[in-house]
Structures are given as structure tokens and as C-alpha cells.
Amino acid sequence: MNKRQLNILKQLNETIEYITTVDLATEYKCSRMTISKDLDVLEYKLNKENVYLERKQGLGIRIFNVEKNKAKVERLIDKNVMKNDVSNFDDRRIKILIYLLLNSDSYTPINKLAKDYYISRTSIYNDLDNLKEVLSSYKMSIEVGNKGVRVVGREADLRALLANLIIHIVGKDASYIYEYQDLRHDGLRKMDENDLFDKDLISFIEKTLNDIEFKLRMVINEPYYTNLLTHLMIMINRVRQGNVLEEDLDVIYLKKNSIYKACIYLVQELEKHCQIEIPESEKYYIYRYLNSIGIEYEERDHRSLSNREELFAQLLLEVLAQMNYIDADKDPEIRKKILLHIKPMLNRLDYQIIIKNPLVDDFKANYKKDFILVKIASLIICDQMDLKAISDDEIAYLLSYVLIKKDLEDDRKIKTCVICYSGVGTSEFLAKQVDKEFSEVEIREIISFKSFESKNLEDMDLILSTVKLDRPMDYLQVSAFLSDVDKVNIKEKIASINKKRFIKLEAIEEKRDHLDYRMVFEDRNLKVFIRKANTNSLYKHRDSYYLDYKDYFYINNAIDNILE
């Protein structure tokens, strides 16, 4: 469950009254469709605990017999709160952690923290115990002694966690899967409200970034804008304290392009305004960051794209097409959209720059199959191109571009071609009858017998023709008026096609993730592992699925079987 789903569940568990999806959508600033999908997730989780949702048209939704089931629901909520997830920390713990990170040079007395947050020393020690897990995930630790407490770790790791925490504070749930642009001013306002940094400095950096956008005729998109601004604020704070990045970075390889000029301008303005000297390692890091953000030029020249980016986009679309997930030929614009993200993404991969995607949990919950397929395709491409694996945050951004252009029809539908001797008019008449009668069918081609010979129909699941076809192929001959006998034959054919799609699932006694498998997805009730093999097979051990594949189309069917 993501944070919003947990909050909705808490809300439902605290009242016997019905709550409408309209009220929930308004409260959480998202669409009713998103709320509906959240409720489907909650209903599935609750049903496993023998707790049920009661839905009534015109009234809304509530937990059936909530008083009796309250303890069960509370246990479910506790089970789904991940202690090492920053998004599930309360505001106090986040502020304590930010304070300790910003003041890591010296010990902070426990009494000071207890006094500042109006809680006991025991509560502070409990908070510190909870913070240890998230710090360890960033290769840092807490050091407690007679003088107080301090965070110990590398400067680069410290800044990465600081950025994550601050992005979490200024983050905002988006209503739609590709709504990022309106976050900018809201994020700046929240930085002001939380007193995270000096307000005048925030305003100055914002003005300087706006100047860069104007001079170079480019737009720094969200969430990159907030990520960049956050990095600059953290850098200035740390440089003022004498803490600089340890990396010995070679600046010889800086390209003297427009990004380089923007970097130099930004550094000079910051040095003047803040009266500090920014060392070379920090300058190079700013350059890498600018070179790794989603920049849109008013006159974008796609010739500036490298062969690597073009190859990654081409291979990604080819693999997804072979999975029968997208039809790239049907919409050539999808390649252009994906390229907009791939260039900065690969730069971030090179420079080991991590960005956070505020919608990654929403994608995993609401577009689970889509997320898994794009993740698998990306892993396959990274292996082929000898690249590091792409993070889930980046996968979610890639998926957002795919979903904008992807035909959102169910790719499990039976792809059908209709052929008639007398022409397209009769074919369309037959196609309408078939479409009306069989909801599982999707008419992809309507052609005349004359043009039949020149068509490649290999990717069709079902071919219906009013005439006998000379070409040796699997098809059904039907009447143009679709008789009752035709309907029975089509129904049996569809059943036969679906039966072929069903994958035998073999239960196994032991885990297999030590046998060269790679995990591609994990949530509370599901783990999916894959590996390239000589056969197509699917195994299950408890909540873990192990997928062996030799061809890409099998992956799509296997994921469908896993999620059903």
C-alpha cells in the first residue's frame, strides 16, 4: 500500500459513516479514478483478512461492521508501514534527521532535541532507533556519546539523503500520471513554510535559474527543477561549514557547450551573492546535474542525440513490441516522447545522480503490469548495452511517457482481422456485428479479399473471412450476417486461443532467487524474479514467482497469469 492508501484505510477505520469517492478525491487532490483503484487495492487486502468493504450507490463506501473489525484493520495498517521508508516517518522524525544531517560536524545534545520538540529523552532515543534503518540504507550511521548524537558518513551520501528528505517535504501527490509541471511554486512555498533554508537565498536561486532558462531559451522541468534547487541549497549550506565533496573529479572532460556556460554563470552568481568560494569538485557536480536534467529547448535539435540514446529507445520499443505490449508502428510519436527522457536518464546513470519520483508508488499500485513489463524490458536493454540497472524512480518516469502514447486498450484482447470478398463495406458490417457480440475481440484490420494477398497477418489471433482463402492459414469462414452457427464457432475459437495463453504454474518447495534470478518487482504480497533461459517456465514459492523466458511474448502472458 502507498501512503495515500494507508491514510484512506485509517480514515475508513475511524468512522461508521459512508465516505464518498468524490470527498476522498477532493481531500487527496487526485482523480476519482485514482481513488477507485486505491479502493480496489484496499478491498483486496482487507478480504484476505476476512474484512469487507460495503459499497452503496449514492451513499459511498465504508468498512462492514467496522467496530468488530477495527483491531484487524489496525494490524493490517501496522503491517504495511515500512520503517525504513522516509515517506512513512512522521514530521518530527524527518525534521530531527534533517537537523542532524545539516549539523553533522558536531554533536547535538539529546536534551536540546527533547526541548526543541517538546518530548522526553526516551522518545528521542526511540526516534533515533527508528532513524538507524534509513541511515544504514544510505551507508551512514548514528553515533551516540556523552556529548550527544551525530550522523557519520560520506558527504555525498549525506547530501543524497538530505535531498530525498527535502523533496519528500516539498512533494505533492499529483492527480494524473504525467502531471509534474505545476509542482514548482508549490514546492518553493513549502520550503518557506518549513523554514528549511533561508528564504532570501531560495528567492535568489530561483531568480538565477529563471535567468538561465531565459538566456538559453530552455525550460527546466519538474521534478528536476526542485531537485536542482534542493541540491544547490544543500551545497551552499555545506560549503559554508567547510564540508565539500570528497570526489577527485577531473574537470578536463567538461564540454564547452551551453550547459557548461549555464554552470559557470550559476557558480559565479552564487559565489557573489553568498560570498563563498565553490571548489572545482562542486562545480563539476553542478555541471553533471545540469547535464542530467530534463531540459526542453524551444528549438530542440534531435541531431544532438547520441547513438547510445537512439539505440536504447529503439531496443526498448522493439522488446516491448515483441512482448505484445505496444504497437510502435501504430504511433511513431512514442519514440520521440521516450527520447526526451532517455538522454538525461542515461547521463544520470553515468554520473550516479539519483532523482526521486513522487509518483513511483502510485505507478506500482495502479499500473502494476505496465510497470513490471517496462522494468523487465529496461533490464534486458541494460544487459545488452552493458549499462547499470535503472532505478524504479526512473522506470516510473519512462512508463509515464509510454502510457501517454500507449493504446490503453487491454492487450489481452483477441486481435482480429475481418476479410470479405465484396469489399470493405461488407467487411465493416461484419466487423460491427463481431465487435458487438464478443467483448473480448478487438478488430485490428478490415480488408477486402483483393488486398488480402499483400497483407502480413502473422500477428493476428483470429481471422474471419466470408470467402475461402487460398493461403494456408488458420481462419474461420463465416457468413456476412453472422449466423448462430458462426457465433458458436467464434466462441469456441476464442476459448481455444485463451487456453493457449494460459501458462502452467509449477509450485516448488524451495526459493530459487539464488539461481541467477533478478528481482524486478516487490510489494507486500508479491515478488517477481526473472532470468533468461532455454525454455519458458513459471514457478511459484509462497508469494514469490520465478519466470524463465526464452522469448519476450511469453513474459507478457506470464505476468498476466501472476497478477490474475
Side-chain angles (χ1 to χ4, degrees):
M1 280 186 255
N2 60 35
K3 189 177 180 182
R4 185 182 58 245
Q5 289 162 357
L6 280 169
N7 287 335
I8 292 171
L9 186 54
K10 288 176 188 175
Q11 209 169 331
L12 290 168
N13 202 37
E14 290 166 0
T15 181
I16 60 171
E17 303 296 328
Y18 288 95
I19 302 175
T20 68
T21 54
V22 174
D23 288 341
L24 289 172
T26 302
E27 182 175 347
Y28 292 101
K29 298 177 182 176
C30 61
S31 67
R32 289 179 65 188
M33 182 182 291
T34 297
I35 293 296
S36 178
K37 288 178 179 178
D38 284 343
L39 292 172
D40 288 342
V41 171
L42 294 178
E43 190 165 30
Y44 173 76
K45 302 273 188 185
L46 288 167
N47 289 353
K48 292 178 79 172
E49 306 294 328
N50 294 318
V51 180
Y52 303 95
L53 289 180
E54 188 179 354
R55 302 176 190 245
K56 282 202 176 176
Q57 194 168 2
L59 289 176
I61 191 165
R62 69 178 181 181
I63 294 173
F64 178 73
N65 208 343
V66 66
E67 293 300 329
K68 180 182 174 183
N69 291 305
K70 189 175 284 287
K72 283 185 181 178
V73 176
E74 285 174 355
R75 282 197 298 271
L76 180 63
I77 290 168
D78 291 340
K79 196 164 64 175
N80 279 274
V81 173
M82 297 175 67
K83 289 185 178 180
N84 64 340
D85 185 353
V86 168
S87 65
N88 288 307
F89 283 168
D90 61 31
D91 289 342
R92 183 187 73 236
R93 287 176 183 167
I94 288 177
K95 286 176 181 176
I96 288 172
L97 185 50
I98 288 175
Y99 180 86
L100 293 175
L101 290 168
L102 288 173
N103 296 278
S104 63
D105 284 348
S106 58
Y107 286 92
T108 299
I110 300 295
N111 285 340
K112 173 178 168 44
L113 293 174
K115 183 180 176 183
D116 287 349
Y117 294 99
Y118 305 100
I119 55 175
S120 67
R121 286 168 57 91
T122 303
S123 295
I124 289 294
Y125 280 115
N126 287 336
D127 286 349
L128 295 176
D129 282 339
N130 278 283
L131 296 177
K132 283 178 183 176
E133 285 190 63
V134 73
L135 281 167
S136 67
S137 67
Y138 282 81
K139 301 175 184 175
M140 291 184 288
S141 60
I142 286 180
E143 193 176 278
V144 182
N146 294 331
K147 296 178 183 178
V149 59
R150 66 189 285 255
V151 171
V152 179
R154 291 173 64 250
E155 181 68 20
D157 296 328
L158 185 147
R159 292 193 193 184
L161 177 54
L162 258 177
N164 188 1
L165 291 164
I166 292 164
I167 293 300
H168 168 71
I169 287 176
V170 303
K172 169 183 166 185
D173 286 331
S175 301
Y176 304 102
I177 59 173
Y178 29 78
E179 182 185 88
Y180 302 125
Q181 273 314 99
D182 294 333
L183 303 182
R184 179 183 293 192
H185 295 292
D186 185 67
L188 295 173
R189 178 180 58 76
K190 288 184 181 178
M191 277 190 184
D192 285 349
E193 288 173 359
N194 285 277
D195 295 322
L196 292 172
F197 296 110
D198 177 74
K199 294 178 183 178
D200 291 336
L201 183 55
I202 292 174
S203 298
F204 175 77
I205 294 179
E206 183 186 17
K207 177 184 175 300
T208 307
L209 292 178
N210 290 344
D211 288 344
I212 288 173
E213 289 180 315
F214 178 76
K215 285 183 178 184
L216 300 180
R217 293 195 303 166
M218 68 185 190
V219 176
I220 303 174
N221 288 318
E222 281 296 344
Y224 311 113
Y225 185 94
T226 302
N227 273 277
L228 175 58
L229 187 139
T230 301
H231 165 72
L232 293 172
M233 297 299 301
I234 292 170
M235 180 202 71
I236 291 165
N237 179 284
R238 301 297 290 172
V239 169
R240 279 173 170 168
Q241 295 178 0
N243 298 298
V244 298
L245 290 168
E246 305 94 338
E247 285 87 352
D248 183 19
L249 299 170
D250 190 351
V251 296
I252 294 173
Y253 296 105
L254 291 182
K255 293 180 180 178
K256 302 297 190 290
N257 55 14
S258 57
I259 302 297
Y260 173 80
K261 291 175 185 174
C263 173
I264 297 303
Y265 171 77
L266 180 57
V267 167
Q268 289 173 346
E269 291 298 306
L270 291 176
E271 286 182 327
K272 252 191 303 186
H273 182 84
C274 302
Q275 296 184 343
I276 58 173
E277 185 177 341
I278 297 174
E280 290 301 312
S281 61
E282 300 284 0
K283 290 176 187 176
Y284 186 53
Y285 197 83
I286 294 171
Y287 168 80
R288 293 197 309 180
Y289 212 103
L290 282 170
N291 203 34
S292 304
I293 59 181
I295 294 177
E296 285 190 7
Y297 292 91
E298 287 185 15
E299 296 177 5
R300 175 176 288 276
D301 184 359
H302 284 283
R303 287 173 297 179
S304 66
L305 293 168
S306 72
N307 290 336
R308 185 176 69 155
E309 292 134 19
E310 296 272 5
L311 180 60
F312 190 101
Q314 178 187 334
L315 290 174
L316 181 68
L317 293 177
E318 282 179 5
V319 171
L320 290 173
Q322 287 178 50
M323 286 180 178
N324 197 32
Y325 174 66
I326 61 168
D327 185 352
D329 293 333
K330 192 174 178 182
D331 191 350
E333 287 296 310
I334 192 170
R335 181 176 164 280
K336 291 181 183 177
K337 289 290 180 185
I338 288 175
L339 274 170
L340 292 179
H341 183 75
I342 287 175
K343 181 175 182 178
M345 181 191 75
L346 293 181
N347 283 336
R348 285 191 293 274
L349 209 59
D350 290 340
Y351 301 148
Q352 298 179 31
I353 290 175
I354 298 169
I355 61 166
K356 302 304 290 182
N357 187 330
L359 301 178
V360 65
D361 289 335
D362 289 323
F363 277 115
K364 286 182 175 180
N366 299 321
Y367 298 92
K368 189 174 290 186
K369 176 187 172 181
D370 306 270
F371 185 91
I372 293 172
L373 291 181
V374 173
K375 173 87 177 275
I376 292 173
S378 299
L379 276 175
I380 290 168
I381 306 312
C382 286
D383 285 346
Q384 289 180 6
M385 296 182 64
D386 197 22
L387 298 170
K388 293 176 184 175
I390 295 167
S391 71
D392 285 0
D393 294 273
E394 296 280 13
I395 294 295
Y397 282 121
L398 264 182
L399 179 57
S400 69
Y401 287 101
V402 173
L403 288 177
I404 290 171
K405 288 295 178 183
K406 181 182 180 288
D407 182 359
L408 292 177
E409 286 292 322
D410 184 0
D411 55 17
R412 295 281 291 169
K413 285 197 170 185
I414 309 295
K415 298 190 296 294
T416 304
C417 173
V418 174
I419 305 168
C420 284
Y421 181 80
S422 53
V424 175
T426 314
S427 301
E428 287 180 348
F429 175 70
L430 174 57
K432 281 186 181 178
Q433 293 180 85
V434 172
D435 191 49
K436 183 179 177 182
E437 192 71 30
F438 301 97
S439 60
E440 57 267 66
V441 161
E442 181 187 358
I443 307 296
R444 288 282 187 96
E445 291 274 4
I446 301 175
I447 58 177
S448 67
F449 180 70
K450 255 184 207 178
S451 58
F452 157 67
E453 289 296 335
S454 61
K455 290 282 184 179
N456 182 0
L457 302 176
E458 286 182 5
D459 61 339
M460 292 294 153
D461 300 313
L462 176 62
I463 298 172
L464 303 176
S465 176
T466 59
V467 293
K468 187 175 180 180
L469 303 178
D470 296 330
R471 197 193 303 179
M473 61 193 314
D474 188 15
Y475 73 98
L476 279 180
Q477 190 169 345
V478 296
S479 159
F481 296 95
L482 204 64
S483 68
D484 289 339
V485 174
D486 293 331
K487 291 174 186 177
V488 171
N489 290 338
I490 293 173
K491 189 174 180 181
E492 288 177 354
K493 187 66 176 175
I494 289 172
S496 171
I497 292 168
N498 285 328
K499 188 176 180 181
K500 287 179 185 175
R501 286 179 170 180
F502 178 77
I503 290 173
K504 182 183 176 184
L505 181 62
E506 184 179 335
I508 52 176
E509 295 297 322
E510 295 181 358
K511 288 166 48 173
R512 305 187 64 174
D513 40 293
H514 60 286
L515 301 174
D516 298 325
Y517 282 94
R518 301 174 71 177
M519 183 185 285
V520 293
F521 188 82
E522 178 181 19
D523 62 16
R524 282 290 175 182
N525 300 302
L526 175 67
K527 292 177 185 175
V528 180
F529 299 83
I530 66 161
R531 72 174 178 181
K532 180 74 174 168
N534 295 323
T535 57
N536 293 321
S537 306
L538 184 61
Y539 307 94
K540 182 182 181 186
H541 174 71
R542 295 179 184 170
D543 62 351
S544 297
Y545 291 83
Y546 300 92
L547 168 58
D548 287 352
Y549 71 92
K550 71 172 182 179
D551 55 69
Y552 300 142
F553 180 76
Y554 180 82
I555 295 173
N556 194 338
N557 285 346
I559 299 302
D560 273 326
N561 278 259
I562 289 170
L563 297 179
E564 277 178 359

